[in-house]
Amino acid sequence: MFLRVVRAAGAKGVKNEYVRVVEAYRENGKTRHRTVLNLGRRDLLAAHLDLDKLRRLLQGDAVADRAMADRAIRREDIGALAAWDWGPMLVAGHLWRELGLEATLDKLAAPARREATRLSDRTLVLVVNRLTAPGSEHGLARWLETDFVCDRCGRRWLAAWRDDDERLASRTPRVRVELRQLKTWYRTLDQLLEHKDTIEHALFITLRDLFSLQVDMVFYDLTSTYFEGHGPPGIGANGHSRDGKPRNPQVLVGLVVVDGWPIAHHVFAGNRRDAKTVPEVLRDLEQRFGLRRIVFVGDRGMVTSHNLDDLRAHGHGYIVGRNRRRSGEVFEYIQSATGPWSECPAGITAREKASSPKTLVQEVSSTQPGVRVFVVHSEEREAFERRHRIKAMERVRARLEKLERRIAKGKLKAPEKVGAAAARVLARNHGHRYYDWSYEDGVFRFFEHPVHFAREQAYEGKYVIQTEEANLSAVEAVRLYKELSDVERCFANLKDVIDMRPIYHRTAERVEAHIFVAALA
């Protein structure tokens, strides 16, 4: 290998010299050259790199005299000290500043005397760690060993490890990081949470102007995230788990999305009902974000008569899903959908399939004046629900046949015990939706439920949307309601990419700060 200097014309006809590392090789009996590395402009390199030494190193030239020997570089003297990842921090820091977060935090929190770095720089460390190597504040030290993480002045954050002898003799032998560094991150969480409302509002203003957000349509949904351990008292509670962890205490995280961008989040106690969170979110949108009239888009868990009255009273609109099984009115709407269907445009996922499933919609008569109701039939959803229903029926049927054989052999005779055993079977896999039974003259029979089973078949693939927006077409209502999937994608990123769960913090404030860092990421 050798160095080659090439000239190239720059701006205004100025010619610059560029240095390249070039390798010679043979191909088909001919000598050819290929560029291994572009080092950059020669005049800029001169201040940092001795090109003569580098040339001698590459070519391996013998040194003629002792004077040259003093200047020579030997191969055995060269070694790599370390190699750190720099790209993620570089990109994230650029976005951090472009979104105005650095300037916002600098205005909100002046550096204290004991702190060498500003809150913005420390928060950026937590956010980028959550993006690239999510873990605890204790585990963040391992990331500092592999990535070049620095503040705005270029001062690098270094992991502060405890001396092993001191650590093993202390009360906390499992904590490998010095307490002063851990306290830095915990203090950052506490300071960040103090300014949460202001930071979210400032970020919303930036996003609104940068991307021309249509703030008249607001999407809201909830998810849960669980704790390892007992969780903080009050906010950590057992409730409906979206993570399949019903035994773990949890909190609810509500996300507000506008035009695909999350603009705010809320943390609620883990046992709070979904619908009970809506009034608080609406007041926050009105007071903090100054949104006077919005169309609230929410899932079926948000629908109560009180919430709908609240939306009307404040002049807001809504597009909400209706729960199919909690109201006989919804089943009547589905039964009344006997008119012509309108086909909705296929989404990206549906278009990628060999046979694109259709989504059909029709408006049906409502029982309330001013309220519009749309019945939607999704072929994809129908196939999914039918598969699950058939699988559940097979499992319940197998248990009912087993119970039938036990009774036929005389192992179970008392009517009350037969009834209790049948009730236990039907309680699993939603068996009561599909089967009924009888026990007469010592003979046990089971059969498809004459009412519930037909209703389940009618439900398959269908859902109901309700709104009072007079200018919306049926197809537009379905399109807007389906955009709730943007919130679901945000939840997927929070949980599976940014690893918001599980949470190990013991106080409510630290839990909220942990979730805020994940939301910023």
Side-chain angles (χ1 to χ4, degrees), residues 162-353:
R162 297 173 68 188
D163 179 74
D164 282 345
D165 294 335
E166 175 192 346
R167 174 176 61 83
L168 295 173
S170 68
R171 295 183 180 180
T172 55
R174 296 179 62 187
V175 179
R176 297 181 178 274
V177 183
E178 288 187 7
L179 188 59
R180 62 176 176 81
Q181 190 168 71
L182 285 178
K183 284 185 174 180
T184 297
W185 307 129
Y186 293 144
R187 186 167 62 251
T188 302
L189 290 175
D190 296 340
Q191 292 174 328
L192 184 64
L193 185 63
E194 291 178 15
H195 306 292
K196 171 184 174 293
D197 290 350
T198 307
I199 294 169
E200 284 187 336
H201 181 263
L203 187 56
F204 163 71
I205 297 300
T206 302
L207 292 172
R208 184 194 64 186
D209 297 341
L210 190 60
F211 297 104
S212 300
L213 300 186
Q214 300 298 317
V215 294
D216 56 338
M217 198 69 63
V218 173
F219 299 83
Y220 175 67
D221 205 353
L222 282 163
T223 191
S224 60
T225 186
Y226 60 91
F227 297 96
E228 291 293 352
H230 299 292
I235 194 172
N238 292 91
H240 171 58
S241 174
R242 278 86 163 174
D243 300 311
K245 299 274 188 178
R247 296 185 179 181
N248 292 56
Q250 64 177 21
V251 291
L252 296 182
V253 181
L255 200 61
V256 180
V257 174
V258 173
D259 268 6
W261 290 94
I263 65 167
H265 76 280
H266 301 265
V267 180
F268 304 102
N271 57 357
R272 194 163 178 179
R273 286 187 58 193
D274 293 5
K276 293 287 187 180
T277 67
V278 174
E280 184 174 331
V281 173
L282 288 176
R283 299 296 85 78
D284 182 62
L285 289 172
E286 293 170 350
Q287 297 168 11
R288 183 155 61 113
F289 294 94
L291 303 184
R292 295 291 173 249
R293 206 269 177 183
I294 62 171
V295 177
F296 179 87
V297 185
D299 209 348
R300 56 186 180 273
M302 313 296 174
V303 182
T304 63
S305 58
H306 177 269
N307 285 343
L308 296 183
D309 291 341
D310 191 20
L311 285 162
R312 295 187 192 103
H314 287 80
H316 301 307
Y318 65 86
I319 302 172
V320 293
R322 293 288 302 272
N323 194 299
R324 295 185 298 189
R325 293 185 175 87
R326 292 184 183 175
S327 171
E329 183 182 53
V330 174
F331 180 67
E332 293 174 2
Y333 287 144
I334 292 175
Q335 290 291 87
S336 65
T338 57
W341 296 88
S342 300
E343 186 173 347
C344 300
I348 297 175
T349 305
R351 290 198 301 269
E352 290 176 347
K353 297 184 178 180

Side-chain angles (χ1 to χ4, degrees), residues 53 56 62-73:
K53 288 183 179 180
R56 289 195 298 275
V63 180
D65 52 39
R66 189 175 300 276
M68 290 294 292
D70 293 337
R71 297 172 55 197
I73 301 176

Side-chain angles (χ1 to χ4, degrees), residues 18 29 77 86 111 188 199 284 290 305 381 401 440 456 501:
Y18 294 88
D77 293 337
W86 167 239
T188 302
I199 294 169
D284 182 62
S305 58
R381 182 168 180 165
E401 289 173 347
E440 298 176 357
E456 287 302 312
R501 60 183 181 180

Side-chain angles (χ1 to χ4, degrees), residues 132-148:
T132 57
S136 65
E137 284 71 27
H138 182 267
L140 186 147
R142 292 191 294 271
W143 175 63
L144 296 178
E145 296 277 12
T146 61
D147 283 52
F148 190 87

